[in-house]
Amino acid sequence: HHHHRTTTQTTPNNRTTTMNTPTIKCQLSFHGAAANSCPHSLLWVRAPIPSSAATAPSTEETVIYASSGVVNLATPSALCTSPSAGDDDVENRGPTLSTVTHTLVTRTLDHGAAPSVDAAGNPIAAKRVLARGEAVEDAAASRSITALSRVEDDRCRNFGIVAAFSDGTLTSWRYRDGTSREKYGWEEHVLIGHDPLCDSECHSVLGDVSKTCLEESIADISAISLNAHLPTETNPDGEHDSSWLVASASSQGVILHISHVRFNEQNKGRDKPENARAATSQVFSKRVNPHAASSVQMKPVGKRGSSIHHGIEECYLFAGSASPRHNKVWVYSIPYGTADPSATDDDITSSTSPTWATLPLFTIREPIHHGFLLGHQDWITCFAWLPDFRNPSTHNENDSVGVEEAILASSGHDAKIRLWKFTSKIGVASSEVEGTAVDETIGLESNVDDEDDGGDIEDNDEDEANIDDLEEEEGEARLTIRHAASSGFSTTAISLEALLLGHEEAVTSLNWREKGMGNKKRDKPCLLSSSMDRTILIWMEEENSADDDDGIGGGGGGVWVPISRVGSAGGILGGSIGSSIMGFVDARFSPDHANRIVGHGYGGSLHFWTQDCSSQEEEKKDDDMMEEDALVSARWVANPCVTGHFRSVEDLAWDPEGEYLLTTSSDQTTRLWSEVSCVVNGKKVCRWMEVGRPQVHGYDMTSIACIGRKSNHAQSDDPTAEKEPQHRFVSGADEKVLRVFDAPASTLRLLHTLKKLRDPATPTSSSATPAEWRVERAFLPSLGLSNKATVEIDVRESNKFAGPTIPDEDLGDAIDPRAEVSMEDLKLPMERDLGATMLWPETRKLFGHDSEVVCLDSYLASSGSDAPLVASSCKAKNDVASAAIRLWNVKLGKCVGILKGGHRSTVSTLSFSRDGKYLASSGKDRRICIWKKSDHLSAEYNDSCEYQLTTAMDSAHKRIVWSVHFCPGKPNILVSGSRDGFVKLWRIVEGDDGSLDMKEMLKFEPLCKGNKKSEPVTAVSFADFISRSDDGIEYGLLSIGTECGRVEVWKVPISENDPNFDAKLVFSVPANECHFDSVKKIAWRPVGCNGDEVLSPTILTFATCGEDCGVRIFMLQVSRKV
């Protein structure tokens, strides 16, 4: 009953630099995406974080979560509290901000990408299998990660992550130190799925594991390392083995996998870095249980020794059923041990099962089913295992060294938490336990009786309590397990320790606090539970009173009570998911001190709380203080959340000054990202976070364009001036209307404070003292799509989010540019605030399109009194009229031009040249049109603005053109990217009579296409940067995004006198830093000063967004000299 494969794979070199180009450094500085709303997809562990230095990586507290098909590693930074901060003690106090700076992206493809064949060899059409359970409905239709599990042994030598997907794919990453930064030390090894590095997608499946079983959405996974007790030396051939046991739960049952990888260290030659390490992998699979399961957990039996010699170890496998009622916890044990051909049957007890799989260092035996635990009335969705439940010194009875106690907590949709106590006897002679061999059958029989007894009882609370009473007799063992003699245990009895009632809705996760590591106060068991009732509870056992004879329920302990609660009841009740909180699907304690909690909200936000013990400093002096008193009196202070879009990010736009980034998505929200000053290792750094949510809409958003620009004269923020005031944008959605938004005063003060903390020398601008015409903030009406501007609001409420409000008479001297700005008055917005109090007021609607808006672009005049122009297109109905492009003067709120005759089908991309002279458009008809602004009209074009079709290139590409962009430094250079996989560079040549001509200068394909026929190019963008060679040839930097999510930066010639016209790849973003799905848009951050050309190196920033819900920001260090 196993399938087996052997593959040899080589780590490819992910970076390409040209010979005559200086090394360009590029790194991912931020990834923002909502977490998948699936339970079991959040971890908080000490994980190795690679550094750019050659030293061994350090381990940091890392929150690991899944977004779409991406694994995100978020590390905390201390928020900077003053502009002069930089001291180390900042990091030990105050709030922290967690940001994602490392990601892992699988190389596996959708099961549907591989042709399936039947027994006769005929192709079978792939069927789409949707995820079940609590995943966000639309996200379930696309391939995404549904569960994560960590793997590590006691020495953290084999740290790794296992990820399960909604299409049944199961893949793993092993962290191996010593590799170069290109692979971050992470190496992917696929267990189940379509691996492009392997010749065949499917393994030779034997027994009862069918291909259908392996393609079902996985609800939960658990994994352990079998290498924990092995010596660390590699064998003489330089090989090292890594063996993992992985269990998955799905509607097809519980499937067990063995992943064995052998690394060949000797391939790591210095002269061949691209062949850094070869690995050979084997996978065995076996279906343990055919019934639908919603949760699974594996844990070693007892404390594993440092080494065993040809003995048998065991691990528990617990699985929770997903039946309509009378659900069970199945209990299995899996014996395994070092491979020893000389071992006889006498070394193994008679209960040990036959061999299942043999590895070079291990023999894994068939799983043994011991029975099941009854009691839960609905799906069992989560487990938590606590190995050392009580110290021997705290035993009231059975006080002997020969007993070890552990606790398994289980819960699910019935909102009740059950604690099962495992009492194991150590080293008892086998003759003493012969009489207990029948207990297995007794446990099974009593379970069946319970199920029959409960059959007639209706599902109401009172009767469910009766069911609990029926099952439990004081201290009665539900199940007795016999162990292999060499495992160190003889028998384990399982009994119900406690029943925890406190949640009102389904419990989604359980997590035990790790033991105190020398801190006696932390030795008491403490359980964290999250629920869809929007609360996270902390449970602890009350101490027994002196007159209590034998404790409660025969367990020798007290009553379990919730001692503290965190959670959020904020948001707009009944509002869209972008502005409300639906409940928590996961929660975790921080690994080191358990003084922080992360809660995973449905909808994708990660909420953080830090225990504030400042009020207890006097009480701490009392050594007799009970620990639960400390936890009860502690305040849990909310820290900034990890937030992001939870559906495809369609468009993004930088503020014209580069101060912030706006992104818009089909999750019906527009979000504002800004840099926040933090302190890491005593150094001041900037981290990105979402600080505003200007628009929460009722339609899927499609496009956005910024139109407000800072001007040099004093009236820059005057709404009556000819130009648009700063901080204004236009957005389009799946509706016929364009909407215009203005920044409220509270957002401008927040942005100014953040800027002041980043750079104390920032001069006081108009954003510090917003103009009187700006409203304080906006609100979303209950039955409407337009954010209304409010005037009469509680001033204290706005102060909470935006710092002090300044009286009008003190405007002149209220803000001193040299004054110390502090975080004390500033509260960064939480998830509950973003969708409710950080909205921007909608100031105008633009009507005119006949169908849904597709794309936008804006032209901002750099000087003069030109009002900004916005060009928009909508879905066409295959006629000239509906494919027209509309030009808008937003200031006047009117359409000033309709450009017809260029296209017959939908225009998918628009681009203005920087001087506003040209407008390029293209789309489904594969035609690129250049519209030229008429010279004879006045520059103000108050009533009409005439752009005329001057030239067009029919069939510019062979497939749809997804993206066009003008070079900022050369307004006559245009780039286009298409589904045909080619990027083309065009020069627009103007004749003496005013006519235009398009000449193709260059045509090339992205390097990431590999062996494929073509890789569609979905986004192109020029940087505002020109480098020059010694002979005067000018080069531009061009970024390219593809349908598979890869991002590349190319150097392209833009001079007329370059004889070669050859494009060179200067940087290919590593696969783990790229998008998981198609790139939708790339935009470079505006450069503050372009006049000084002697700066070397220059730091450039560009942002990308994609269908994987992600927003990525990269920093590029480049030299102006070629």
Side-chain angles (χ1 to χ4, degrees), residues 605-623:
S605 52
L606 300 184
H607 304 251
F608 291 88
W609 293 271
T610 302
Q611 186 178 343
D612 181 13
C613 300
S614 55
S615 59
Q616 309 164 15
E617 287 180 1
E618 295 81 8
E619 302 176 45
K620 277 185 184 176
K621 298 172 185 173
D622 184 5
D623 293 335

Side-chain angles (χ1 to χ4, degrees), residues 386 388-391 513-517 522-525:
L386 183 68
D388 306 315
F389 175 45
R390 286 200 181 91
N391 294 328
R513 179 180 64 176
E514 290 189 15
K515 286 302 183 78
M517 295 175 289
R522 287 252 325 267
D523 280 344
K524 281 199 66 175

Side-chain angles (χ1 to χ4, degrees), residues 28-32 65 71-75 98-103 642:
L28 176 71
S29 60
F30 173 73
H31 178 232
Y65 73 94
V71 179
N72 299 275
L73 284 73
T75 50
S98 292
T99 49
V100 177
T101 54
H102 295 92
T103 58
V642 170

